[in-house]
Amino acid sequence: MFPSFTGSTRPRRQVNLSGRNSNPFAPSPGSRIVSSPQTSQNALAHAQHERIARQQERLRPPAATKIQKLWRGHRDRKTVQNYWRHEWDREECWSPTDALADQRRNSAKGVSTPAGYDSVSDCLSSLRLLLQFASPHDKDDTQRLCHFAARYLRSSLLPSSTLLDIWIYPLLRLAKLSMQTLSTDQPLPLLSDAVDSLLKLLQSLAVTIPTQLAQYSARYFETLTKVAAAKRTANSELLNGTAVTLLRAKTPRNDLVYEGFVGELLTTPELPTLMGSLDVYTNCIHYDLLEAAISKFLFTSSNAEKMQSKSRESLLWFLAYFIYFRRWTFSKRAQNKNQPDALYVKIVSKLVSFLADDIGSRMDTSTFGSSIRGDTTSSTNLSSKPLPGFVQSEILTLINQENVSSLLANIDVTPNPQDATAVSSDDASAIASYALTLLRAFPRRGDEIRMWLYRGSTSRQAQTAQSRKNLSAIKYFYQAASKTEIFSSITRLPRETVSMLRPEKDRSTSTKTSTSISADSRDQQWRVILLFLELYTFVLKVMDDEEFLSGTLDSDQEWSWTKQSALPLDQVKALTLFLKNLAFSMYWNASEIAGMEATEAKTSLSEYFGSSRLTQKEKSHADNPATFADLSVAGVSGMTLAYLKGMVTGVLRMLYERDSRRKFLPKDHWLMTKYFEMDRFIAAVVSEEEEKHKIEKSYENDGDSSSRIEDDDFDDHDSDGDGRYLIGTQHTQQIRNVQRLQRQQRKTARRKYLESVTPRLEILQNMPFFIPFATRVQIFRQFVSLDQIRRRGTADPDEWRFAVMNSSNGNLIGRHRAKVRRKNVFDDAYAQFYDLGEGLKEPIQIRFVDEFDTIEEGIDGGGVTKEFLTSVTNEAFGASDGMEALFVENDQHLLYPNPAAIDERKATLQQALYREGSSEWNENIRDLSRRYEFLGRIIGKCLYEGILVDIHFAPFFLLKWALTGGSNSASRESNYRANLNDLRDLDEGLYQGLLQLKNYPGNVDDFSLNFEVTDTIRTSPTETKQVTRELRPGGASISVTNENRPLYISYITRHRLQIQPRQQTSDFLRGLGKIVSPSWLSMFNQSELQTLVSGSSSEVSVSDLRANTQYGGLYAIGDDGLEHPSVQLFWKVMEKLDDSDRKKVLKFVTSTPRAPLLGFGNLNPRFSIRDSGSDQTRLPSTSTCVNLLKLPVYRDEKVLKERLLYSVNSGAGFNLS
């Protein structure tokens, strides 16, 4: 029809965005006229709409009637009240306008004109009428109330002692009206005269109707608090008098009065400032009622919401007020002056535990001296203001010797036939809660608190006499701890640990065990156990082995206090069983205890193809601290699972170290192999190590890795020494603090994630004695082999060299080559290999030269490297009579870092006129640190390559190696706990002197000792100087007494073993950790590490050596498989030699007298024998670099023995064939 049309015939869509209905015929919203429903759904909706509409129609008339009724009632009440106002004004001859003018005029003159009532009936009639209309929100009614109060107080006809019933209710309403008026915010503030008048009225009513007013004591004291806070009166004496009047009133409901006083007035900050003074309360407060009211406020569930509504600042003041009132109350009593009762301990424990973070972060550090590194601060209190002076001074009274030592004095322990002592669990738990809370809130005073409590004792009745004997705190708390269900259950089965540590709400039916304990009882028992471990850790530091092994149930007053605290060995054995099971389960079931399900096996493609990237689920677990939230143990804030794990591990290792020194436990007592599948254990551990490496590699690839040293040393350089910020740096400082906390949280989260996926590794690193030593050595060699393959692609040195030479990085070989002078082995090695860093793990090539720079001929098949490492260690660790010996020997010729090395280097620089702090000065100090670090790398290289060196270290120094790779440590000696017995390996004379001081029966004041120590520094080969240092801030003015001498011994021990050699030890361990992972070293104790370094001290097995010997030259075994006759003679001679001579032969050939840990099959290079001619007068010689014995072809056994022993005892040197 329209051939020329080219458009579209489809209609265009109409889109309405206005929200309006474009259909003019559609019903409006709410209209009852709707179109016919098209479906059953529309019909149902339509019916519902009509039903709602009808219901609204029915409700509309009654609602209107009710509104009208309410309005008419309100209007009529207003009319009646106004009528009553007029009547009251007429009866009182009172006018609002004149009254305000008179009030202001009288206020200025200081006079009050209203006269009292002529009769009781007139007063009662006026009061009743006033109460009918008076409103606290009406300013005129407030003036009427003040007028009545003035007349009421001036009346002398009112009954004072005995009230008629008709008076009680009106007076109570009058009191409530007065409190409402004082509490209500008026458009115009009340004049001070009006406030004073109402306060006097309340004070009078508190005398007249105290029993009725006691029910409203909370509102009463709340009103006084608001008046004081708003500063509505300058008469503090009247304000305090009003409060004290109700407290002094004798009424059967005094308990209610004190509950109101506690809940309102005592939770008001700055009360001494607001009320003028607290002295007026000290004379009228009944302490027992106050203590009972506070207990009800804190521990009653009905008050839980009220307590939570109080701010932390209010509770800090609340704690200070309670301490203040108790201190003043007991200062007036002649007996039990400073012996805290059980309820007081419970109250203070609750408050201090809840406020521990605030107290720790806001306490003035000058009170304790300089700040101690490592104290943690809550993230919410980084910039908190210091505690108010009153609060701080009162809280500090908690931590004095008399108060803490007397905690056990009130406990009476009576014996029974079954046990040496009968210990009350409630008493022990209360004291434990209090002591743990103090330790948590005052970490800088921890050692003093432990010492004071350790010095305390209970009093127990003797079984056969009326005399009383002291029971040391250690024995008391062990008795209490060993009787708990937790102790017995975990001793019986490690699995019980899960149910004892997980919160009740997190336990599933699958994890419930045979033991069921309520949450409160469980917390009480854990507190006793935790405090015992805290005290036992302290006493183990100052208890020598003789005292430890002499423990008995009895005690003698003439014994030293540490000897009285020694547990019997059967109790020590029971304790180790408990700690073993507890520690094992805390590591083995770490994820389950923390409430996190075990990580499922991954089946992603990336796992099959060896990807080192983590899945998103794993990343979220590791990066989210909330997933791994620390669980509180024993209901004490800050006592987390990490704290418990560290405490248990520390005590267990200290006991194990004592048993390693002097055996007192059965053989294999420490092993836990029955809980592992030992046939697959090594493979499982290696698999966990690979998993751990992949996780750590993933974080490195994400750019979120930071060295542990940097994390630990992250310091605040923008603040000065006393904690004040430099101008303009406070914001930057806050940002850095937040960043530090975030990094610590991420680090903690990752560590916890690793603990959950690598339980066997965690056990090996923290409690290696659970696994046999031989198994751990195999694991160590497996770890080294894995690391070599991971770094090089192969464990064979020649294959690695070939691969590098054919790669683009061929110059890498040159960095691993060195030319070394035999007279300067250490210096040349340091100069050429220090910059390699971790690269020293790779194979190195050494060429020795003489003093004329002539290269020694020879083929390096790995033996020259061994000779090089042996020479370096011999030179570096050799005794030096000159200056700057890096290591020194003790009386047993065992080596440890020279504690005075840095001081001696500084003395040398001062004599050379270097300016302290200059670049040259600092570079010289850094050079010394680098030498220690390089020496650590050399020892690490020997361990890494399995090369034995004849170097013997002091046990306390080796112990620091073993404690650098645990869960909670950095690459330094942070987990090492200095103790008195370790001091014996450092200085026998000092050890014996401290023992005499500890056991001295007289008064140690006779020695005139202070908390100072004198260090001897060598300034030249023949001269020394003395430097005196304080052991604690202000130590020069603190005398050593009988009470604090354990603390003095502990500080001396820590200074000598930890503080003085800290830098040297840290540098050495840093270098050692570059080559051998600290976590690998933590699998061994000190004696086992010495075995790793220098070999086994057991007898030389000739059969094992013979089975792993290689032969060359004429001695090569032919087709008949028989040894050469001279070789047979050699082995015949070796079998007849004493073990000492065998070790001499072994040292003659290999440079070390000890056999490898896993036998001579692991000796690198292998023990070898070859011929060196047939001259019968020729002596045997060796090439120690390749462990080669060059043995002439002897024909006579006697000649062979004589020539061999002559060479061995002559000390022949290096002879390269």
Side-chain angles (χ1 to χ4, degrees), residues 600-608 615:
E600 298 179 354
K602 301 181 294 296
T603 56
S604 62
L605 290 176
S606 60
E607 175 65 15
Y608 285 114
T615 64

Side-chain angles (χ1 to χ4, degrees), residues 374-485:
D375 290 346
T376 56
T377 303
S378 172
S379 58
T380 59
N381 294 318
L382 285 173
S383 303
S384 299
K385 60 183 180 180
L387 288 175
F390 175 82
V391 175
Q392 177 161 303
S393 62
E394 293 302 323
I395 291 179
L396 285 179
T397 62
L398 296 175
I399 46 175
N400 63 66
Q401 181 175 353
E402 190 174 7
N403 279 346
V404 177
S405 296
S406 63
L407 282 173
L408 298 176
N410 286 338
I411 298 177
D412 186 20
V413 183
T414 57
N416 60 41
Q418 288 76 25
D419 191 9
T421 54
V423 176
S424 170
S425 59
D426 292 338
D427 291 340
S429 177
I431 295 173
S433 177
Y434 181 72
L436 289 173
T437 301
L438 294 183
L439 290 172
R440 170 76 176 92
F442 307 100
R444 297 183 181 93
R445 303 288 293 273
D447 282 343
E448 291 176 279
I449 295 172
R450 294 182 188 95
M451 182 192 67
W452 293 334
L453 190 57
Y454 149 75
R455 292 284 299 176
S457 63
T458 62
S459 179
R460 63 187 178 97
Q461 184 74 33
Q463 295 186 20
T464 59
Q466 296 300 319
S467 60
R468 307 184 71 86
K469 294 184 178 180
N470 289 333
L471 181 66
S472 68
I474 294 292
K475 291 183 177 179
Y476 170 77
F477 282 108
Y478 176 78
Q479 294 290 342
S482 62
K483 295 299 181 291
T484 61
E485 294 181 61

Side-chain angles (χ1 to χ4, degrees), residues 99-126:
L100 181 60
D102 292 341
Q103 186 178 8
R104 290 177 177 174
R105 183 170 55 255
N106 295 333
S107 176
K109 295 180 179 180
V111 297
S112 180
T113 55
Y117 290 100
D118 296 331
S119 65
V120 173
S121 59
D122 291 343
C123 179
L124 181 60
S125 175
S126 179

Side-chain angles (χ1 to χ4, degrees), residues 95 174 266 339 345 384 402 443 445 580 679 787 812 829 880 968 1020 1062 1107 1179:
S95 172
L174 177 62
L266 287 192
Q339 298 178 358
V345 167
S384 299
E402 190 174 7
R445 303 288 293 273
K580 274 173 49 183
D679 54 337
D787 188 62
L812 183 63
S880 174
N968 304 319
S1020 70
R1062 181 186 298 275
L1179 296 173

Side-chain angles (χ1 to χ4, degrees), residues 140 152 168 231 267 524 554 719-720 746 808 863 949 993 1008 1047 1124 1176 1211:
D140 292 339
Y152 173 83
I168 294 178
K231 298 181 180 180
T267 55
Q524 290 178 2
D554 296 327
S719 62
D720 58 13
R746 288 196 300 268
S808 58
V949 290
S1008 301
L1047 196 62
H1124 190 278
Q1176 298 297 298

